[in-house]
Amino acid sequence: MIMKISRTYLILSVLLAGLAFVLVLLPKTTRNKEIQPDKLLIEINDPARFVNPDFIAERLINEDPSLQLVDVRTKDQFSKFTLPGAVNIPLNEMSNEEWDESLNHEDKDVILFSNDDLYADQAWIISARQGYKNIYVMKGGLNLWFKDILSPEKPSETASKEEFETYYFRKAAAQYFRGPSSIIKTDIAPSNVELKKKEKKISAEGGC
Amino acid sequence: MGPLIPQGIIPGQWNNVIAVLIGMAFGFIMEGSGFSSSRKIVGLFYGYDFTVLKVFFTATVTAAIGLLYFSYLGWIDLSMVHIHPTYVTGAIVGGVVMGVGFVTGGFCPGTSFCGVAIGKIDAIIYTLGLMAGIFVFSEAFSVFEKLYDGNYLGEITITEFFGLSPYLFVFFFTLAAIAIFFITSIIVKRVEEVNY
């Protein structure tokens, strides 16, 4: 049986099949979810990703729930010392997908740190290329943390008010992070004098 | 650059406005192609009119080819396009229920509203039934919940599930569509002419 097929349908059918066939022939490209090079360059040049240890200390003391610290040093170093609440993602495992849960936060600030800020910054580039948002780097790393927060230097007498305020904050932060042992160390021997409590006078309760 | 709304090129607040505009255009074209007639729609099941099949197949093939070209040219990021999640059990049971309703009532949900818009009494009754069905389902959801959530596969596409190349799949799908258009036109010629 010979059927008459309308010209329009024939042309449309050939066109569709042709377009679909060209798709098969097209060279295949893989698109990564990495961000574009020009965009990355702009972000790399933007120093806004660096945050001061003071800022982190303040948020840690306030127990800010939107803060996620990430230690990018090795497991060994992490087990010896780290900051409170930090998770360990070694730099060489940074691109692993299993860490997605720790890095992919819309509503949290993820702060990377290492001994200095060099490794943390490398980790930042890896995570930025993976398209994560709200990722920051702790400026100066743990070295600066020790210097500024845990053993702050007293500013000179002529320093500005702000410098003194920062110093007092750091002093207080040092006590917070080092624990009670660091608070007072004096050479005075404890006295043997027994303290007697004064008996309280019972005052008349109530009033007018 | 696309998809336009997830990329923030069009603000998300426009979502509903655009949906209404597309919906109006969709309804207008459905009515224009005669989809508000239940006789035309059920012709698919009796073999005298395959317009519904042809329209939906053409739409699918055009969209699939277009999306792959757009993705190839970098105009759209397919990983950001919404993929409707797959619930196998729900899809099968729902498909059967919908199919039975389709052939007995002569409308699918979209076309029934088209029929209501032009004042068809059967479409109005059909829509009332549809509303009643939605009400019963919603009220008794706890009974159906297991069925509804059964065999959840996530947001998966057929090519991902079977590990096929999307390009080859679309090519063979297009060939199949053209073959089906050809075969159905033979069937229509052989079936006794129906006046509707």
Side-chain angles (χ1 to χ4, degrees):
Chain A
M1 185 188 89
I2 299 159
M3 270 193 46
K4 269 188 103 180
I5 304 169
S6 100
R7 256 180 94 86
T8 331
Y9 283 133
L10 197 67
I11 293 168
L12 283 174
S13 302
V14 172
L15 189 72
L16 264 185
L19 278 171
F21 185 63
V22 172
L23 272 179
V24 179
L25 296 183
L26 283 176
K28 303 294 170 281
T29 49
T30 47
R31 274 178 213 290
N32 298 323
K33 59 175 182 172
E34 295 178 351
I35 64 170
Q36 305 299 316
D38 47 348
K39 227 171 143 186
L40 183 67
L41 198 66
I42 293 169
E43 288 194 15
I44 283 179
N45 287 326
D46 184 3
R49 68 175 179 278
F50 288 107
V51 291
N52 279 325
D54 294 281
F55 179 65
I56 296 167
E58 195 182 333
R59 290 177 72 170
L60 276 176
I61 292 168
N62 291 333
E63 293 178 352
D64 189 340
S66 65
L67 180 76
Q68 173 70 64
L69 288 172
V70 173
D71 189 340
V72 303
R73 300 171 309 154
T74 58
K75 282 194 176 109
D76 266 11
Q77 290 172 313
F78 175 75
S79 60
K80 275 175 197 150
F81 174 81
T82 191
L83 296 180
V87 292
N88 183 217
I89 304 179
L91 177 61
N92 53 3
E93 293 176 23
M94 198 72 194
S95 54
N96 234 338
E97 275 196 13
E98 63 176 296
W99 302 118
D100 188 71
E101 216 175 295
S102 307
L103 295 171
N104 196 3
H105 291 296
E106 286 286 322
D107 46 0
K108 269 190 180 184
D109 292 338
V110 177
I111 295 170
L112 310 171
F113 66 91
S114 51
N115 283 335
D116 193 36
D117 51 25
L118 196 67
Y119 283 152
D121 208 21
Q122 288 175 3
W124 177 86
I125 292 179
I126 295 171
S127 52
R129 288 180 62 111
Q130 283 173 312
Y132 293 128
K133 292 190 178 90
N134 303 335
I135 308 269
Y136 300 89
V137 175
M138 180 163 116
K139 198 176 165 75
L142 285 176
N143 291 339
L144 194 65
W145 176 271
F146 273 106
K147 186 170 159 282
D148 275 3
I149 306 292
L150 297 190
S151 43
E153 262 176 49
K154 198 174 180 182
S156 62
E157 297 291 324
T158 52
S160 69
K161 194 180 159 209
E162 282 80 25
E163 276 178 68
F164 272 101
E165 271 169 7
T166 315
Y167 171 70
Y168 291 131
F169 167 73
R170 285 173 179 172
K171 272 292 256 201
Q175 282 179 14
Y176 177 86
F177 289 110
R178 279 177 186 274
S181 62
S182 69
I183 297 177
I184 305 161
K185 272 183 189 156
T186 49
D187 300 329
I188 304 163
S191 65
N192 293 325
V193 182
E194 266 187 43
L195 294 174
K196 271 187 187 169
K197 273 185 184 168
K198 265 189 186 171
E199 277 181 31
K200 267 187 187 168
K201 279 180 190 166
I202 299 162
S203 59
E205 273 182 51
C208 47
Chain B
M1 58 185 265
L4 297 174
I5 290 176
Q7 299 263 40
I9 295 167
I10 296 177
Q13 288 89 332
W14 281 92
N15 230 339
N16 289 337
V17 178
I18 294 171
V20 167
L21 292 178
I22 292 176
M24 284 165 79
F26 184 59
F28 182 78
I29 288 169
M30 280 215 292
E31 162 58 19
S33 0
F35 275 28
S36 46
S37 157
S38 51
R39 293 193 184 89
K40 193 177 186 79
I41 293 171
V42 292
L44 174 67
F45 297 97
Y46 299 114
Y48 60 77
D49 194 319
F50 288 95
T51 317
V52 177
L53 183 91
K54 285 177 184 165
V55 164
F56 282 108
F57 244 123
T58 316
T60 315
V61 168
T62 314
I65 293 176
L67 278 177
L68 286 183
Y69 271 104
F70 271 43
S71 163
Y72 180 78
L73 296 170
W75 292 352
I76 196 165
D77 182 355
L78 282 187
S79 64
M80 288 178 83
V81 172
H82 171 73
I83 296 167
H84 200 70
T86 304
Y87 297 88
V88 177
T89 316
I92 292 171
V93 176
V96 171
V97 172
M98 155 115 183
V100 171
F102 202 163
V103 71
T104 51
F107 289 110
C108 70
T111 58
S112 71
F113 287 108
C114 255
V116 172
I118 59 169
K120 291 208 161 194
I121 293 165
D122 58 343
I124 295 170
I125 306 286
Y126 188 96
T127 317
L128 289 177
L130 194 146
M131 303 282 188
I134 292 172
F135 181 75
V136 169
F137 178 80
S138 313
E139 285 300 315
F141 182 69
S142 51
V143 180
F144 297 117
E145 199 166 4
K146 252 203 163 134
L147 186 79
Y148 184 83
D149 291 332
N151 291 313
Y152 176 62
L153 293 181
E155 294 174 0
I156 197 163
T157 62
I158 199 162
T159 51
E160 278 169 14
F161 187 73
F162 290 109
L164 307 167
S165 146
Y167 300 97
L168 266 179
F169 180 79
V170 167
F171 176 58
F172 285 114
F173 191 77
T174 310
L175 291 188
I178 293 170
I180 288 167
F181 294 162
F182 184 71
I183 293 165
T184 50
S185 64
I186 296 175
I187 296 173
V188 169
K189 287 244 160 87
R190 291 213 171 165
V191 170
E192 212 179 312
E193 204 168 309
V194 177
N195 287 316
Y196 54 90

